[in-house]
C-alpha cells in the first residue's frame, strides 16, 4: 500500500483516459476519503485496459460492418477459443468474490451454489448445442423462428433477452461499482461510468471479436489467479487438504458444522426450485447461447462446451480451496479486520484479503485487476446479446419485417449498444443502495422458464406451433417475474411491504412446468392452417438440425 | 436432395434416433444425479456431514460434491467422444449417400 499523494494523480490519469479530463481533478480530491490504494493494482488495471483497448482497435480494423462479423466474429472461431470465451462470459466477479465469501461464512453451503452453476453446461450440450448451431445464425430466436412464424416468436424472444440482459446488467453494474469503489477508492458514480464506458467502447467498435478476446484474456487471468492462490494456500499447509480443513474447523465459529450442509437450503421446495432454475437456466441465457454462433459447425460447438465445462469445473473447485484458505489464513489475522471486528470492506472482499495474505501487495494488485477484467468481460457479453436481440430480432425482423439492409441492421445494433450501456449505467446509479440480491436468481428463473422450454420444444417436438411457443414463453416470463415480485426477496426485503404473498424466493418449480404445459396445451388445441404448415415443416428443420446441411 | 426425402432415409433415421436417445439419456443421468444431491441436502443433510473415515475432518459431502462436478465434465467428455466418432461417422455416410 502506498500513500494517496502518489495514487491520486495516477488514478486521475487512468480516468482521464476514459472520460472528460476536466473531471479528473474532482476525482483526485474525492479519493482522499476512501480506501488507500495499491500502486500495483492500478498499474495492472491500466495494463489490462491498455491491452483490451488494443484488442478492440485490432478487432475494429478486422471489420465489424457485416452482421456476421459484428454478432458472430465472422463465425470462424476455433472450438477451444470459444470454450475459453464461454468460460470467461459465464464466470462473473460476483461468483468469484461471492462464492469465496459464501464458503468463508458458511463453509460447505458454497459448494451447493458452485455445483448448481456448473450442471447447466452438460445440459446445453446434451439437449441443444448442436441443433442450435445448425439452425441459428446470430441469436437463439433464429432457432425457434426457423419454422415457426417469425414475427411473434422473435418479438417475445427479443423481449425476454432484453429483460434478462437488463436485470443481469444491473446486478453486475451495482456489484462492479461497489467493488471498484473499494479496490481503487473511486467514487461509485465514476466506477459505474468507467465500466459502462469501457464496455460501450469494446462492443461498439470491436463487436463480437473484441468481446471474445476480452473474455478469453479474462478467463486465462482468472484461472491463473485462482490457481496461483490455491497453490500458495496448499503450499502453506504442506499440500495436505486435511491440514487446511482442520485449521479452518479450528478457527471458524461454526467449527465442524462448516464441513456439512447448513442453513442455505431452507426447505425441499426451495431446494428443488433453485436446482431447476440453475440446471435449465444456463441453457436459456442469451449471452451464452449467442456464443455458439461464433464457431463453424456442430463439432466445434461440442468442443466449446467441453472446454468451457473443463475450465469452469476447475475454477469452481478452486473457489472451494480459496474459501477454506480464507477461513484458515484471513479470519484470524487482525490485519484484515476493522474496528468493529468484521472483515475490512465487508465479507465480499475476502478473496482480495486472501491474495494479500498469501502473496502480498503484488498478488493483491493482480487479483484486483483480475476482478475488474472479470466484470468487463461479463458486461460486454451481456451488452452484445442485448444489442443483437434489439437489432437482429426486434428491429430488422419485427419492425422492418426483413426489409432492413445489413448495414442498417449493424448500425442499429451499435446504437443499441450505446443505449443499453447508458441505460445500465443509469440503472446502476438508481439501484446503488437497493437490495438486489434477488436479481441473479430472477435472471436464471426467466431464462429457464421463458427461453429454455421454447428452444427445447422447437428442436424436438414436431407438433409445437407458433401460438404454443409464444403463449408458453409469455406464461414463463410473466409467472417468473410476477412470483419473484411477490417473493420474500422483493416484496419484503426490497419493497418493504410486509410478509410475502408467495413464500419462495425462486419461482422455477412453478414457472418452468407451467411454460411447458401452456406450450403443449395451446399447440395441441391449435387447429389453424398456419399450425398445420408449421407441423409439416418439422421434417426439413429436423434434417438440418441433425446434419447441419445447408449452414453457411 | 429434398430434406423431406432425406428424413425417410434409414441412415438419417438411425443418426437422429441414436443422437436423440443418447442426449436424452445423458441429460436424464445428469439431472438425476444433481437432483438426488439436492434432495439429500433438503431431507438428510446429516448424511453429507459424515466423515470419510475415522479421525478425518473431510466429509462425504465434499467427496460427493467434487464427484458431481467431475461427473458433469466426464459426461460431457463421453458425449463429445461419441459424437465425434459415431455420430459424425453416421452423418458422413448419410452425406455420401445423398450426394
Amino acid at each position: 500500500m502506498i500513500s494517496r499523494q502518489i495514487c491520486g494523480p495516477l488514478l486521475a490519469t487512468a480516468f482521464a483516459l476514459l472520460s472528460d479530463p476536466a473531471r479528473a481533478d474532482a476525482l483526485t480530491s474525492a479519493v482522499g476519503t476512501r480506501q488507500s490504494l495499491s500502486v500495483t493494482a492500478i498499474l495492472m488495471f491500466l495494463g489490462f485496459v491498455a491491452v483490451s483497448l488494443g484488442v478492440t482497435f485490432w478487432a475494429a480494423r478486422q471489420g465489424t460492418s457485416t452482421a456476421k462479423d459484428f454478432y458472430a466474429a465472422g463465425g470462424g472461431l476455433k472450438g477451444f477459443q470459444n470454450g475459453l470465451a464461454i468460460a470467461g462470459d459465464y464466470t462473473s466477479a460476483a461468483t468469484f468474490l461471492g462464492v469465496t465469501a459464501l464458503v468463508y461464512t458458511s463453509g460447505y453451503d458454497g459448494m451447493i451454489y458452485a455445483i448448481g452453476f456448473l450442471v447447466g453446461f452438460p445440459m446445453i450440450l446434451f439437449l441443444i448445442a448442436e441443433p442450435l448451431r445448425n439452425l441459428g445464425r446470430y441469436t437463439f430466436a433464429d432457432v425457434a423462428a426457423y419454422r415457426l412464424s417469425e414475427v411473434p416468436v422473435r418479438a417475445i424472444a427479443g423481449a425476454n433477452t432484453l429483460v434478462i440482459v437488463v436485470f443481469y446488467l444491473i446486478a453486475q453494474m451495482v456489484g462492479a461499482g461497489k467493488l471498484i469503489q473499494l479496490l481503487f477508492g473511486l467514487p461509485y458514480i465514476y466506477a459505474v461510468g468507467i465500466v459502462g464506458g469501457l464496455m460501450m467502447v469494446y462492443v461498439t467498435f470491436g463487436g463480437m471479436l473484441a468481446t471474445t478476446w476480452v473474455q478469453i484474456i479474462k478467463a486465462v487471468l482468472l484461472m491463473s489467479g485462482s490457481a496461483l492462490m490455491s497453490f500458495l494456500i496448499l503450499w502453506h499447509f504442506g499440500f495436505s487438504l486435511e491440514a487446511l480443513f482442520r485449521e479452518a474447523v479450528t478457527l471458524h465459529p461454526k467449527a465442524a458444522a462448516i464441513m456439512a450442509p447448513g442453513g442455505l437450503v431452507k426447505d425441499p421446495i426451495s431446494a428443488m426450485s433453485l436446482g431447476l432454475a440453475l440446471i435449465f437456466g444456463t441453457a436459456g441465457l442469451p449471452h451464452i447461447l449467442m456464443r455458439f454462433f461464433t464457431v463453424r459447425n456442430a463439432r466445434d460447438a461440442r468442443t466449446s462446451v467441453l472446454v468451457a465445462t473443463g475450465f469452469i469445473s476447475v475454477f469452481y473447485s478452486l473457489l472451494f480451496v480459496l474459501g477454506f484458505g480464507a477461513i484458515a489464513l484471513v479470519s484470524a489475522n487482525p490485519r484484515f479486520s476493522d474496528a468493529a471486528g468484521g472483515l475490512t470492506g465487508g465479507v465480499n472482499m475476502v478473496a482480495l484479503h486472501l491474495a494479500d495474505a498469501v502473496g502480498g501487495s503484488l498478488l493483491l494488485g493482480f487479483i484486483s485487476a483480475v476482478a475488474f477484467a472479470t466484470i468487463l468481460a461479463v458486461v460486454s457479453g451481456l451488452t452484445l446479446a442485448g444489442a443483437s436481440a434489439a437489432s437482429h430480432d426486434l428491429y430488422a425482423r419485427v419492425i422492418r419485417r426483413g426489409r432492413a439492409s445489413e448495414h442498417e441492421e449493424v448500425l442499429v445494433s451499435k446504437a443499441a449498444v450505446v443505449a443499453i450501456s447508458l441505460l445500465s449505467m443509469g440503472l446502476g446509479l438508481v439501484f446503488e443502495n437497493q437490495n438486489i440480491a434477488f436479481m441473479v436468481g430472477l435472471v436464471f428463473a426467466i431464462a429457464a422458464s421463458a427461453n429454455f422450454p421454447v428452444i427445447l420444444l422447437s428442436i424436438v417436438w414436431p407438433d409445437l406451433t407458433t401460438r404454443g411457443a409464444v403463449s408458453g414463453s409469455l406464461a414463463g416470463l410473466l409467472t417468473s417475474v410476477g412470483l419473484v415480485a411477490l417473493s420474500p426477496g422483493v416484496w419484503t426485503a426490497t419493497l418493504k411491504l410486509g410478509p410475502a404473498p408467495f413464500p419462495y424466493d425462486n419461482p422455477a418449480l412453478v414457472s418452468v412446468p407451467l411454460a411447458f404445459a401452456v406450450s403443449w396445451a395451446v399447440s395441441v388445441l391449435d387447429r389453424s392452417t398456419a399450425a398445420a404448415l408449421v407441423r409439416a415443416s418439422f421434417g426439413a428443420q429436423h434434417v438440418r438440425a441433425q446434419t447441419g446441411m445447408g449452414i453457411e | 436432395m429434398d430434406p423431406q426425402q432425406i428424413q425417410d432415409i434409414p441412415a438419417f433415421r438411425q443418426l437422429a434416433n441414436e443422437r436423440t436417445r443418447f442426449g436424452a439419456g445423458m441429460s436424464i443421468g445428469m439431472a438425476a444425479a444433481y437432483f438426488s444431491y439436492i434432495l439429500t441436502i433438503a431431507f438428510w443433510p446429516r448424511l453429507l456431514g459424515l466423515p470419510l473415515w475415522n479421525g478425518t475432518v473431510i466429509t462425504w459431502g465434499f467427496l460427493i460434491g467434487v464427484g458431481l462436478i467431475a461427473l458433469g465434465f466426464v459426461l460431457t467428455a463421453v458425449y463429445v467422444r461419441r459424437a465425434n466418432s459415431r455420430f459424425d461417422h453416421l452423418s458422413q455416410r448419410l452425406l455420401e449417400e445423398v450426394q
Side-chain angles (χ1 to χ4, degrees):
Chain A
M1 297 287 171
I2 60 154
S3 72
R4 289 168 197 133
Q5 282 76 17
I6 307 173
C7 286
L10 252 179
L11 254 184
T13 324
F15 194 72
L17 286 172
L18 310 160
S19 151
D20 179 6
R23 295 271 178 100
D25 281 341
L27 178 69
T28 323
S29 56
V31 169
T33 57
R34 307 195 184 251
Q35 183 167 326
S36 59
L37 300 152
S38 146
V39 76
T40 13
I42 292 162
L43 286 177
M44 286 182 187
F45 156 76
L46 288 177
F48 176 78
V49 170
V51 169
S52 57
L53 287 175
V55 163
T56 307
F57 182 70
W58 164 79
R61 303 243 336 219
Q62 305 288 306
T64 55
S65 52
T66 71
K68 194 165 184 172
D69 285 332
F70 189 73
Y71 300 131
L77 289 184
K78 302 241 182 330
F80 188 82
Q81 295 171 328
N82 191 39
L84 267 182
I86 292 175
D89 207 359
Y90 192 64
T91 49
S92 62
T95 29
F96 175 55
L97 303 174
V99 172
T100 312
L102 188 58
V103 176
Y104 177 77
T105 45
S106 2
Y108 190 86
D109 281 350
M111 186 172 252
I112 304 172
Y113 264 86
I115 292 171
F117 281 123
L118 181 83
V119 288
F121 276 96
M123 301 307 263
I124 293 184
L125 176 65
F126 304 154
L127 297 173
I128 61 172
E130 296 162 276
L132 183 77
R133 176 63 203 97
N134 286 339
L135 295 173
R137 291 181 73 196
Y138 307 132
T139 64
F140 75 87
D142 292 343
V143 176
Y146 191 86
R147 74 190 156 104
L148 303 180
S149 172
E150 179 168 78
V151 171
V153 165
R154 284 192 194 275
I156 181 84
N160 289 342
T161 300
L162 287 174
V163 171
I164 289 175
V165 163
V166 168
F167 276 118
Y168 218 165
L169 274 175
I170 296 174
Q172 297 290 337
M173 275 291 179
V174 173
K178 301 216 156 143
L179 179 69
I180 292 169
Q181 189 178 17
L182 272 161
L183 288 182
F184 301 103
L186 281 173
Y188 181 83
I189 184 167
Y190 290 113
V192 167
I194 289 181
V195 172
L198 279 174
M199 83 183 185
M200 197 191 316
V201 171
Y202 295 156
V203 183
T204 326
F205 295 108
M208 181 53 111
L209 192 58
T211 305
T212 301
W213 281 101
V214 168
Q215 287 168 346
I216 291 177
I217 295 170
K218 163 265 172 103
V220 171
L221 286 175
L222 186 59
M223 277 300 289
S224 26
S226 5
L228 179 62
M229 277 164 77
S230 304
F231 176 81
L232 290 171
I233 291 165
L234 289 171
W235 183 54
H236 194 273
F237 290 95
F239 294 96
S240 156
L241 277 175
E242 178 79 37
L244 166 64
F245 287 140
R246 197 168 285 283
E247 177 76 0
V249 168
T250 315
L251 289 174
H252 202 282
K254 291 181 190 160
I258 58 171
M259 304 300 289
L264 180 74
V265 176
K266 292 178 215 105
D267 58 287
I269 304 276
S270 303
M272 291 293 285
S273 207
L274 179 67
L276 207 58
L278 291 176
I279 197 167
F280 295 135
T282 313
L285 290 176
H287 63 299
I288 299 293
L289 296 180
M290 187 182 188
R291 292 227 51 95
F292 286 95
F293 304 120
T294 62
V295 294
R296 219 176 294 277
N297 51 35
R299 197 184 173 102
D300 282 330
R302 298 193 286 258
T303 314
S304 308
V305 184
L306 184 64
V307 171
T309 312
F311 268 84
I312 296 170
S313 311
V314 173
F315 174 67
Y316 279 120
S317 307
L318 291 180
L319 285 188
F320 228 61
V321 177
L322 298 190
F324 275 88
I327 301 175
L329 300 171
V330 172
S331 68
N333 190 334
R335 193 151 67 90
F336 303 118
S337 49
D338 57 23
L343 209 58
T344 314
V347 71
N348 280 332
M349 288 294 114
V350 72
L352 297 156
H353 293 317
L354 181 65
D356 196 359
V358 295
S361 65
L362 196 65
L363 191 58
L364 171 65
F366 178 64
I367 296 296
S368 307
V370 166
F372 181 77
T374 288
I375 295 165
L376 281 173
V378 174
V379 293
S380 303
L382 283 166
T383 306
L384 186 58
S388 68
S391 61
H392 180 65
D393 293 326
L394 297 178
Y395 178 78
R397 299 280 155 182
V398 175
I399 298 173
R400 297 290 311 274
R401 307 277 158 131
R403 287 189 305 265
S405 70
E406 188 172 337
H407 178 68
E408 195 181 332
E409 186 183 321
V410 174
L411 270 184
V412 170
S413 202
K414 292 185 176 184
V417 172
V418 175
I420 292 171
S421 305
L422 292 175
L423 178 72
S424 62
M425 286 190 262
L427 290 172
L429 295 180
V430 171
F431 281 87
E432 177 182 356
N433 295 314
Q434 301 295 313
N435 182 335
I436 53 154
F438 66 90
M439 274 187 190
V440 172
L442 172 63
V443 162
F444 273 81
I446 298 175
S449 330
N451 289 347
F452 172 70
V454 173
I455 299 170
L456 184 69
L457 290 177
S458 68
I459 290 170
V460 302
W461 192 42
D463 290 333
L464 180 75
T465 69
T466 306
R467 287 179 199 170
V470 170
S471 46
S473 183
L474 205 57
L477 176 70
L478 296 178
T479 322
S480 46
V481 175
L483 289 181
V484 167
L486 300 176
S487 74
V490 175
W491 191 268
T492 314
T494 306
L495 302 174
K496 311 212 183 323
L497 292 171
F502 182 71
Y504 305 107
D505 272 326
N506 201 299
L509 199 58
V510 178
S511 57
V512 175
L514 185 77
F516 274 108
V518 169
S519 289
W520 173 80
V522 174
S523 296
V524 167
L525 294 173
D526 190 351
R527 303 245 175 266
S528 60
T529 24
L533 281 173
V534 158
R535 289 190 188 107
S537 57
F538 181 78
Q541 178 198 304
H542 194 46
V543 168
R544 172 148 165 182
Q546 291 291 334
T547 62
M549 276 175 205
I551 71 169
E552 295 153 40
Chain B
M1 194 191 269
D2 175 25
Q4 214 64 34
Q5 287 169 288
I6 295 177
Q7 63 165 330
D8 294 326
I9 299 175
F12 175 76
R13 286 183 173 276
Q14 190 183 7
L15 169 68
N17 285 342
E18 273 192 30
R19 197 204 313 262
T20 308
R21 241 183 281 138
F22 193 63
M26 298 289 268
S27 46
I28 290 169
M30 186 74 233
Y34 177 61
F35 282 109
S36 319
Y37 172 73
I38 292 287
L39 289 176
T40 310
I41 292 168
F43 289 107
W44 309 279
R46 280 208 199 127
L47 277 185
L48 296 171
L50 296 174
L52 272 180
W53 59 83
N54 261 340
T56 180
V57 290
I58 303 177
T59 55
W60 276 98
F62 277 90
L63 189 67
I64 292 171
V66 172
L68 209 51
I69 292 180
L71 179 74
F73 180 73
V74 169
L75 289 185
T76 307
V78 168
Y79 184 93
V80 169
R81 200 184 149 86
R82 186 162 172 83
N84 283 352
S85 51
R86 176 78 185 157
F87 301 154
D88 278 359
H89 172 71
L90 285 174
S91 185
Q92 195 56 41
R93 247 188 23 205
L94 174 69
L95 278 177
E96 280 159 17
E97 200 172 320
V98 171
Q99 276 151 10

